[in-house]
């Protein structure tokens, strides 16, 4: 989910590559962003992303861990970064450029928490130029650890804290719910979170991290659905209760990722108030389009 969300949020900043393969043993870096050529939407998106937007300047790479990053995993992340740097230098030589002049990406390792002693073992120190919770390794290594549970709870860190676990993620979801409906990232982010929660529920033995995601999502989806239904009914007052319910159904389907092909839209238009209210109830209970509604 973290890889998917990072790709979604960073796309307006520049060229984004997910699961970039590096040479040597089969290794991939979660997300690599090249924001050197800024598009017209980049400045606005960078402001919306806050701390993440600051990280996504120039060349940046992201490795997101669902469980606390271990020393072995941090070493593996460093190996991937070094291999990526070497690959970029090789490409420069093939183009006749000086390898020393090649810009190299900085790696941001996102971890919910850290094992005791890991920072000292790698010589990581707090970065005064970023928020508390950001720890830089020696400059020549080009890597910063971002401990999501230690980030301050401010709007600037919201998008990073959504990738956290447990109480950190739960509170971030509540903040996401409180954003204005017109916020450009709210609906798209929520659709991704719901999709990943649905997939986690299909797993026969979901991990502890997946169970936390499911619990946090279920706790919040009820509030979101009620909000959508209230909004749809209020907006439909001028045109009648049935129209308000149709708007509520359409908004709910959009957030839950339920397709509304022409046949379903035609069915919606033909429904009366009682049928629409029953459909709203069915959607809230099962998070899917009821089969009887297809007939």
């Amino acid at each position: 989910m973290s890889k998917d969300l990072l790709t979604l949020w960073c796309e307006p900043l520049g060229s984004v590559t997910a699961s970039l393969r590096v040479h040597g043993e089969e290794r991939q870096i979660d997300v690599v962003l090249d924001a050197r050529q800024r598009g017209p939407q980049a400045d606005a998106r960078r402001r919306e992303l806050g701390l993440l937007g600051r990280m996504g300047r120039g060349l940046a790479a992201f490795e997101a861990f669902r469980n606390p990053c271990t020393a072995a995993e941090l070493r593996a992340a460093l190996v991937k970064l070094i291999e990526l740097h070497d690959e970029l230098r090789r490409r420069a030589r093939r183009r006749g450029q000086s390898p020393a002049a090649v810009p190299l990406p900085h790696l941001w390792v996102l971890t919910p928490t850290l094992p005791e002693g890991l920072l000292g073992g790698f010589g990581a120190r707090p970065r005064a130029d970023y928020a508390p919770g950001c720890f830089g390794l020696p400059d020549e290594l080009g890597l910063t650890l971002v401990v999501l549970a230690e980030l301050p709870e401010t709007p600037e860190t919201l998008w990073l804290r959504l990738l956290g676990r447990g109480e950190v993620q739960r509170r971030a979801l509540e903040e996401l719910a409180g954003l204005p409906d017109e916020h450009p990232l709210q609906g798209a982010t929520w659709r991704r979170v719901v999709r990943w929660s649905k997939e986690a529920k299909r797993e026969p033995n979901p991990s502890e991290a997946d169970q936390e995601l499911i619990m946090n999502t279920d706790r919040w989806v009820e509030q979101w659905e009620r909000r959508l239904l209230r909004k749809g009914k209020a907006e439909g007052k001028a045109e009648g209760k049935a129209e308000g319910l149709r708007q509520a159904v359409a908004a709910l389907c959009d957030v839950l990722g339920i397709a509304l092909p022409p046949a379903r839209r035609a069915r919606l238009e033909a429904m009366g108030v009682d049928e629409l209210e029953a459909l709203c109830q069915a959607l809230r209970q099962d998070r899917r389009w009821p089969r009887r509604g297809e007939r």
Side-chain angles (χ1 to χ4, degrees):
M1 186 185 76
S2 298
K3 188 191 306 184
D4 191 24
L5 288 174
L6 285 167
T7 301
L8 166 73
W9 297 335
C10 291
E11 279 176 337
L13 301 182
S15 173
V16 179
T17 304
S19 300
L20 178 68
R21 187 177 181 274
V22 293
H23 286 282
E25 183 183 346
E26 180 63 34
R27 297 187 180 95
Q28 293 181 339
I29 293 177
D30 284 346
V31 174
V32 177
L33 167 65
D34 184 349
R36 290 174 294 178
Q37 296 181 350
R38 288 165 33 185
Q41 299 178 343
D43 287 343
R45 176 55 58 86
R46 185 167 283 111
R47 287 192 295 270
E48 291 161 0
L49 291 176
L51 181 59
L52 178 58
R54 289 181 57 203
M55 295 173 178
R57 293 182 182 275
L59 284 172
F62 297 92
E63 282 280 283
F65 288 90
R66 189 70 178 131
N67 296 309
C69 177
T70 65
E73 289 169 330
L74 186 53
R75 285 193 292 270
L78 273 168
V79 169
K80 287 192 281 187
L81 180 62
I82 292 168
E83 289 179 344
L84 176 58
H85 286 182
D86 287 345
E87 173 63 18
L88 293 174
R89 292 189 181 102
R90 283 192 293 268
R91 292 179 188 177
R93 282 194 292 267
R94 289 195 292 266
R95 293 192 297 264
Q97 299 173 341
S98 169
V102 174
L104 301 175
H106 190 89
L107 179 59
W108 301 88
V109 173
L110 313 179
T111 176
T113 57
L114 277 181
E116 185 176 353
L118 187 140
L119 293 176
F122 283 85
R125 298 184 179 279
R127 290 195 58 170
D129 52 338
Y130 280 86
C134 297
F135 302 90
L137 270 62
D139 291 344
E140 288 300 317
L141 294 177
L143 185 149
T144 298
L145 277 160
V146 183
V147 185
L148 304 178
E150 297 185 21
L151 294 175
E153 291 189 10
T154 64
E156 188 183 40
T157 67
L158 169 60
W159 307 101
L160 289 166
R161 288 183 288 110
L162 282 168
L163 309 180
R165 285 189 54 173
E167 197 62 16
V168 171
Q169 185 184 63
R170 185 191 68 78
R171 290 196 295 268
L173 284 170
E174 290 181 352
E175 291 176 46
L176 182 67
L179 292 177
D181 292 333
E182 62 273 14
H183 193 285
L185 287 176
Q186 186 192 53
T189 298
W190 175 235
R191 283 190 289 273
R192 297 298 206 286
V193 173
V194 169
R195 186 181 74 190
W196 282 98
S197 178
K198 284 182 176 180
E199 292 188 8
K201 286 181 179 179
R202 297 192 190 105
E203 294 293 328
N205 297 300
S207 66
E208 181 183 349
D210 283 343
Q211 291 174 8
E212 289 178 349
L213 175 64
I214 293 168
M215 181 178 66
N216 287 333
T217 305
D218 285 347
R219 182 184 291 126
W220 185 57
V221 74
E222 290 290 335
Q223 303 174 28
W224 181 258
E225 289 168 351
R226 288 195 294 269
R227 179 179 175 182
L228 284 175
L229 293 174
R230 285 197 302 268
K231 181 184 176 186
K233 291 177 181 180
E235 291 179 350
K237 282 182 179 178
E239 302 178 36
K241 186 178 180 182
E243 182 58 30
L245 287 170
R246 289 190 193 99
Q247 293 176 14
V249 168
L252 195 55
C253 287
D254 180 55
V255 168
L256 295 176
I258 298 173
L260 285 179
R264 286 181 179 173
R265 291 194 177 275
R267 176 74 179 124
L268 271 180
E269 292 299 320
M271 284 183 177
V273 171
D274 291 343
E275 290 178 295
L276 286 165
E277 287 182 338
L279 178 57
C280 285
Q281 183 66 22
L283 288 171
R284 291 188 62 191
Q285 288 177 345
D286 296 333
R287 315 277 194 260
R288 62 182 178 180
W289 188 272
R291 290 185 178 181
R292 288 198 302 172
E294 297 274 26
R295 294 201 293 267

